[in-house]
Each structure stands twice: as structure tokens, then as C-alpha cells.
């Protein structure tokens, strides 16, 4: 690992620790109400779900409409484990149950992914949607999961410390994966799966890896949620919940992990602040989604990550004046490590890269190509 | 045996409705390769249109349906115009997310405007005469549904194979770029596809709400998804496939509900989704589809 990378990881980890200490000081001194602490924990759980959805949707480029279903699988598995051992407050056991929940979710991800990834196109969207419905029906009809009744008596072991650090671990794992050679394979599939297959990337295998990892973290988030809420109901993990995770990912930036965290916090806190608007929440969500897709399809943050470099670049830009606006001149100001996907093409948005790698052939066809490309 | 025939006819009835909705999905998918998640919501809005025309304006059912078809066509074309057209050259993901957002938008809009409470439709299947054929007694509405749906499908098939615009539609679904080069006005054909799909959804809604006389903002979601599965089952993008898939799905669903023991009745809800996964595993191109190697 190059030294700059080590340094940058170290700084970001230190920032995370400092942020935690500040939060810990505020929360443990009773400066904020109990409700707020709980809300913060919920935010971290939803952030984990959103970040993991970003792996399958933002980084792999496959639409997953059953993310709440994976969460449900993880939540029930984890809750049943701790219920059977019955040791409230035992953190190692909670950890084991979280990982078990994640593994069952990942397994179900593989089961869903194998039929769906045999085909190109939007089949994963519809299969995961179906999966979410099946999970709901199964959880309702199985005796062990309550058989139509909510599953109760789960010990409330998820603390804000737990949520925060699991979130940090999730981000670290997904971020390092994306910057490894495997991650680049995953990103290449998003950009053009046919081209990457031609370059020797095992498309189906990488899709399965990324998708099941995404399901794994969704399962972990589900386990945390189970021990946060204490009560599990199959109907909580429904289609609308999956869609609200999708809104978090799209709003924060398709491909930006920290963006997902910010928008998960924002969208979880917003209804608490604006209680009067609860009725209009979904209406606002959907309108925002349509407008974002029409005018800024990469989401608010695009693929940028909030890290020490991000702020460093802002300071540098303020000191040195704005970067040259034409071409990719900005790359002299922004170091390569700033963005998980290297190269300057991504910074200009998906479309430019698509145009470059796309099937455009010769100038006369150019306008037509631009009009119909990207639809396979 | 009479029970079986009765269930068979019931299956055909709901299957006919699925098939009509599935046609809208499959035609749109065939042309612009987009799963139009808002299609189920067009069915829902059509149901509301019919309801309001009948209760507020005191129009007879038939006239209300005709008007609702017109309004649904306008809505479908508008959705394509406002939300989808600009995204035709964007990534598939953006288009899909937009489709989901449009569907969510219509659902919530109707829930806010007309409250999420179900409304009872004034006309029910019981107001149609009961037929007795041998030992079988069934509402004539069941037969009317099947016959209307089949007539509509025959008309559609004739339009697509005989009429110039219908042929142009097939050409566009075959090769959009090629059609563009041949001088076919692709934008107009896409609008027409949405118009036809919406009209079919409105007819489906008209048939659906008499059998299931409850109108809610969310009534379009589940039939919509099932109809999409029907389209996949028959072979997505193929018009005869959607018809076959719709009827088959309706039959399978009714038969499982009729013959599965009530202790596992909960599970029968998920049967259509199991079918979807099985189709994708065993015959991904659908029953009528030929699997083709994708060309670069």
C-alpha cells in the first residue's frame, strides 16, 4: 500500500474516532434527550442499509428493490439467535448474531442473484421485488418467526456506539473493496458489462460477489434494527422501506458512500423535525427522485466522498482560486485518490464515459448514437 | 368437476385482466426497454376516473369507461412526455428509478387527494344475471370479462399486424435505431405505444373493479406486478406472450388458491413470485421467447 494511502486512511480513521468521542461526550453527559440518542442510532442503522444498497445499485449498477427483504432476513436470524441464547447485554453474542444475520442475508442474496444474473437487463429489479414480497409472506407464515404475530422480547442491545462503529466498519470494507482490483472489476461492469466481459472480467461472479456483500450488510443492519426496536414485524420491511433506502442512495449520490450516510441521516431526521409534513413525505420523496433523475441523475454528491481530502481540496481551491473551468484541468488540483474510481473521465459524469466507451463509430452517426446509446 | 370448471373460468377471468395489463408492460418494454412501474398506477387512476364519472356525473358505466379510457391515454402519454422521454438516452438505472418514482408519486397523490380509504364501486358482479349451464352457476360477468378481453386482444393483434402504425411499432421494437433511419417517427410511435398501453390498462381497470369492487390508491400495485410477471412468463416484449402469460398466471393463481389447503393459504400469495424465479431459472426468455445472444 502506498504511503499516501496509509496516511489518508489513518487521517480519516482518526477523524471518525474524534467524531465518535464528541458524540460520546454529548450523549453520555445527558446533554440531549434519550429520544435523540435513539434517533441517532436509527440513523446509523439506516445509513448501513443505504451504504450497502449503494454497493449494489450505485457501484455495481443493478437496481435492487428488495433491500428491506434482506434486512428482514438478517433481523429475524439475529433476533432468533439472541432469543434462543437469552443473554441480554452480551456484546460478543450480539456480534455473532449480527454476522449470522448478515450471512443468511448474503446466502439469500446469492439464491436471488443466481437466476437474475443469468440475464442482462432489469431482471434483478423485478426478482428482488418479488423476493421482498416472498420474505414478507414467509415471515408471516412461519411459526418460529411469530406466525403472523410480531416477534417480541428481543433485548435492546443496539447502542449508538455499536451502530456508529458498525457503520464505520461497513464503509471501510466497501471502500477498500471498491479501490481494490476486484472493485475496479465491479465498477467496469457498471460502466459496460459487455466490454468488461470482453476484457476478461467474470461478470456474473463479480455481480454475485458485490450483490451478496450488499445483502450481507443489509442483514447486519437488520440485526442491529432488531436489537434496536425490540419488536419485529414483517410488514416493516416492505416495498416502501426498500424504496426509501433507494431514495437515500439516489439523493446522496449514486456511488458515494458518505453521500448515502448524509442523506440517510437527513431523511431519517427530516420527518421528525417536520412532523406536520408526514402526509406529504412520500409525495416529496417521489418528486425529488423524478427531478433528480431529470436534472442531476448522479445524485447530489455524485461520486465524491466526504473525506479529509475533500475538505483539503476545498481549502486549496479557496487559497489558489478556482480551477480552470475548461476540459479536465481540474485534475491538477484534485489528486487522484479523492475519488474511488480513478481517472478524470468519471468526474465529468457517467455520460461522458459512456460516450467514450460506448459503441460510437464515426462522426456521421454521432448524434444518433448519442440519442439511443446505453439501452441494451 | 363442476368446481374445477368454475375455478377454471374464474382463472380465465382474472387472467384476462392480467393479460390486458401485461400487454401494456410488454409493448413499452419491447420498444424502449423500460419496465414501466407506473403502469399499474394508470390502471388505478382509470378506476378512480370511472368511479367519479359514475358517482359524481351520474354517467352510465359504459360511457364512464369510454371517458376513463380517454383520460388514461392522456395521462399515459403525459407521463412518457414529462418523465421518460428525456431519459431515453440516459442510463437504464435512471429510467427505472424515475418509473418507480412516478408510480410512487401517483399513489401518494391519490392517497392525499382522495384519502387512502377504500371506496365501494357501485356496480358489482352480482348485479349481472346469473347463468346456469348444466350444474355450473356463474355470473355472466365472468364470461363478459373474458369475451371483452379476447375481443380487445384480437383487435390489437389485427392493428399490429395489418395497420401501418402497428407495423411501425413492431419495427421500432425490433430495432429502434434502424427504424429511425428508415424515417419512422420514433417519438410518435413511443407515444402511441404508451397510449395503447394506457387504454388497455383502463379497460382492464373497468373489468377489474366490477369483480373486485374496492377502489384504493394502492389497488394498482399488486395486479401491476403480477401482470409484469405474466409478461416475463410469456416472453417480455412479445404481444402474444403477454396474452398467454396473463391467462396462465391467472389460472395458476386461482387453482392454487382453490386447491391448496387453507393451512398454507398464506403461502399461495407468493406463488406468482415463485413462478417468476422458476421462469428466470429454467426459461429466461419466457415461454414464447427465443433466447438470443446479445450483440455488441
Amino acid at each position: 500500500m502506498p504511503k499516501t494511502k496509509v496516511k489518508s486512511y489513518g487521517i480519516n480513521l482518526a477523524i471518525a474516532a474524534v467524531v465518535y468521542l464528541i458524540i460520546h461526550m454529548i450523549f453520555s453527559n445527558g446533554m440531549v434527550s434519550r429520544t435523540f440518542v435513539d434517533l441517532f442510532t436509527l440513523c446509523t442503522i439506516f445509513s448501513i442499509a443505504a451504504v450497502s444498497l449503494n454497493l449494489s445499485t450505485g457501484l455495481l449498477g443493478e437496481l435492487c428493490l428488495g433491500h428491506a427483504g434482506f434486512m428482514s432476513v438478517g433481523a429475524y436470524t439475529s433476533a432468533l439467535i439472541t432469543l434462543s441464547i437469552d443473554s441480554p447485554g452480551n456484546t460478543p453474542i450480539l456480534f455473532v448474531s449480527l454476522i449470522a444475520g448478515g450471512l443468511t442475508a448474503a446466502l439469500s442474496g446469492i439464491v436471488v442473484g443466481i437466476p437474475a444474473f443469468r440475464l442482462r437487463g432489469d431482471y434483478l429489479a423485478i426478482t428482488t421485488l418479488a423476493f421482498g414480497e416472498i420474505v414478507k409472506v414467509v415471515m408471516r407464515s412461519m411459526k418460529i418467526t411469530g406466525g403472523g404475530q410480531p416477534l417480541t422480547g428481543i433485548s435492546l442491545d443496539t447502542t449508538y456506539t455499536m451502530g456508529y462503529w458498525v457503520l464505520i466498519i461497513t464503509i471501510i470494507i466497501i471502500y477498500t473493496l471498491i479501490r481494490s482490483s476486484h472493485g475496479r472489476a465491479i465498477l467496469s461492469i457498471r460502466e459496460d458489462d459487455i466490454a468488461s466481459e470482453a476484457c476478461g472480467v467474470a461478470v456474473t461472479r463479480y455481480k454475485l460477489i458485490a450483490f451478496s456483500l450488499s445483502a450481507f450488510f443489509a442483514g447486519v443492519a437488520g440485526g442491529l434494527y432488531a436489537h434496536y426496536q425490540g419488536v419485529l414485524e414483517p410488514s416493516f420491511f416492505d416495498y416502501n422501506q426498500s424504496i426509501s433506502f433507494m431514495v437515500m442512495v439516489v439523493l446522496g449520490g449514486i456511488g458515494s458512500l458518505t453521500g448515502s450516510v448524509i442523506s440517510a441521516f437527513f431523511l431519517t431526521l427530516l420527518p421528525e423535525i417536520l412532523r406536520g409534513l408526514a402526509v406529504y413525505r412520500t409525495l416529496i420523496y417521489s418528486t425529488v427522485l423524478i427531478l433528480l433523475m431529470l436534472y442531476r441523475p448522479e445524485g447530489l454528491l455524485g461520486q465524491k466522498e466526504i473525506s479529509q481530502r475533500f475538505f483539503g481540496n476545498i481549502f486549496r481551491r479557496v487559497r489558489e482560486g478556482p480551477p480552470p473551468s475548461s476540459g479536465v484541468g481540474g485534475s491538477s488540483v484534485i489528486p487522484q485518490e479523492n475519488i474511488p474510481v480513478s481517472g478524470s473521465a468519471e468526474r465529468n459524469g457517467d455520460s461522458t464515459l459512456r460516450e467514450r466507451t460506448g459503441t460510437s463509430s464515426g462522426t456521421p452517426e454521432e448524434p444518433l448514437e448519442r440519442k439511443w446509446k446505453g439501452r441494451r | 368437476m363442476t368446481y374445477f370448471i368454475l375455478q377454471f373460468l374464474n382463472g380465465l377471468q382474472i387472467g384476462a385482466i392480467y393479460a390486458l395489463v401485461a400487454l401494456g408492460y410488454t409493448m413499452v418494454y419491447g420498444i424502449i426497454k423500460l419496465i414501466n412501474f407506473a403502469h399499474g398506477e394508470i390502471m388505478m387512476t382509470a378506476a378512480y376516473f370511472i368511479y367519479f364519472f359514475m358517482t359524481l356525473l351520474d354517467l352510465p358505466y359504459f360511457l364512464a369507461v369510454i371517458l376513463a379510457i380517454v383520460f388514461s391515454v392522456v395521462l399515459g402519454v403525459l407521463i412518457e412526455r414529462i418523465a421518460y422521454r428525456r431519459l431515453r438516452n440516459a442510463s437504464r438505472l435512471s429510467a427505472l428509478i424515475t418509473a418507480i418514482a412516478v408510480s410512487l408519486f401517483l399513489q401518494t397523490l391519490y392517497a392525499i387527494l382522495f384519502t387512502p380509504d377504500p371506496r365501494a364501486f357501485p356496480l358489482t358482479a352480482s348485479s349481472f344475471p346469473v347463468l346456469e349451464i348444466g350444474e355450473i352457476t356463474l355470473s355472466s360477468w365472468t364470461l363478459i370479462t373474458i369475451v371483452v378481453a379476447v375481443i380487445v386482444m384480437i383487435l390489437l393483434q389485427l392493428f399490429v399486424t395489418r395497420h401501418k402504425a402497428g407495423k411501425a411499432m413492431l419495427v421500432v421494437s425490433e430495432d429502434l435505431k434502424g427504424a429511425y433511419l428508415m424515417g419512422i417517427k420514433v417519438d410518435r410511435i413511443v407515444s402511441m405505444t404508451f397510449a395503447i398501453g394506457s387504454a388497455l390498462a383502463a379497460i382492464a381497470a373497468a373489468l377489474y373493479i366490477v369483480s373486485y369492487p374496492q377502489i384504493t390508491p394502492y389497488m394498482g400495485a399488486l395486479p401491476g406486478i403480477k401482470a409484469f410477471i405474466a409478461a416475463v412468463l410469456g416472453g417480455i416484449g412479445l404481444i402474444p406472450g403477454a396474452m398467454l402469460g396473463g391467462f396462465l398466471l391467472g389460472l395458476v393463481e386461482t387453482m392454487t388458491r382453490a386447491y391448496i389447503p387453507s393451512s398454507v393459504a398464506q403461502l399461495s400469495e407468493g406463488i406468482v413470485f415463485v413462478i417468476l424465479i422458476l421462469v428466470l431459472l429454467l426459461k429466461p426468455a419466457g415461454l414464447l421467447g427465443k433466447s438470443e445472444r446479445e450483440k455488441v
Side-chain angles (χ1 to χ4, degrees), chain A residues 116-134:
Chain A
F117 288 139
R118 287 180 62 195
L119 309 155
R120 287 188 212 290
D122 311 317
Y123 288 94
L124 188 77
I126 205 79
T127 323
T128 47
L129 202 161
F131 170 76
E133 294 296 318
I134 293 175

Side-chain angles (χ1 to χ4, degrees), chain A residues 63 65 118-120 122-123 126-127 129-130 137 194 243 282 286 293 368-372 375-376, chain B residues 32 88-89 92 94 96 98 100-101 105 108 176-177 180 225 228 236 266 273 280-281 284 294 296:
Chain A
L63 193 57
L65 296 178
R118 287 180 62 195
L119 309 155
R120 287 188 212 290
D122 311 317
Y123 288 94
I126 205 79
T127 323
L129 202 161
V137 171
I194 297 174
I243 294 296
T282 329
S286 49
M293 284 300 116
L368 195 67
E369 281 292 342
R370 206 176 302 141
K371 200 156 188 192
W372 308 122
R375 299 227 140 263
R376 295 213 168 83
Chain B
I32 55 172
R88 215 177 293 157
N89 54 342
R92 239 181 31 222
S94 313
L96 264 186
T98 310
I100 291 165
F105 178 81
T108 356
L176 205 146
K177 237 185 284 176
Y180 190 78
I225 293 170
F228 179 76
I236 187 94
Q266 276 270 331
F273 299 112
L280 291 184
L281 266 179
E294 194 137 345
V296 181

Side-chain angles (χ1 to χ4, degrees), chain A residues 151-192:
Chain A
L151 190 67
T152 53
I154 309 157
S155 56
L156 301 171
D157 288 342
T158 303
T159 56
Y160 62 92
T161 313
M162 192 94 185
Y164 183 83
W165 285 110
V166 174
L167 172 62
I168 298 291
I169 293 168
T170 309
I171 294 176
I172 290 174
I173 292 178
I174 296 181
Y175 189 73
T176 44
L177 168 78
I178 284 309
R179 298 194 47 183
S180 68
S181 61
H182 302 291
R184 279 170 207 281
I186 292 169
L187 291 174
S188 79
I189 294 170
R190 176 188 69 183
E191 297 302 340
D192 192 326

Side-chain angles (χ1 to χ4, degrees), chain B residues 7-75:
Chain B
Q7 292 304 329
F8 188 79
L9 285 172
N10 282 338
L12 282 186
Q13 182 199 9
I14 187 71
I17 292 167
Y18 287 157
L20 286 178
V21 183
L23 281 169
Y25 274 111
T26 221
M27 287 194 299
V28 167
Y29 191 90
I31 284 189
I32 55 172
K33 301 285 174 281
L34 166 74
I35 303 176
N36 182 13
F37 279 98
H39 197 60
E41 273 56 51
I42 293 192
M43 184 182 161
M44 179 270 291
T45 47
Y48 270 98
F49 280 134
I50 299 172
Y51 173 79
F52 284 123
F53 286 139
M54 282 181 76
T55 51
L56 297 182
L57 301 180
D58 273 332
L59 291 177
Y61 173 72
F62 187 68
L63 206 61
V65 171
I66 301 278
L67 277 177
I69 291 175
V70 174
F71 275 82
S72 305
V73 165
V74 172
L75 179 71

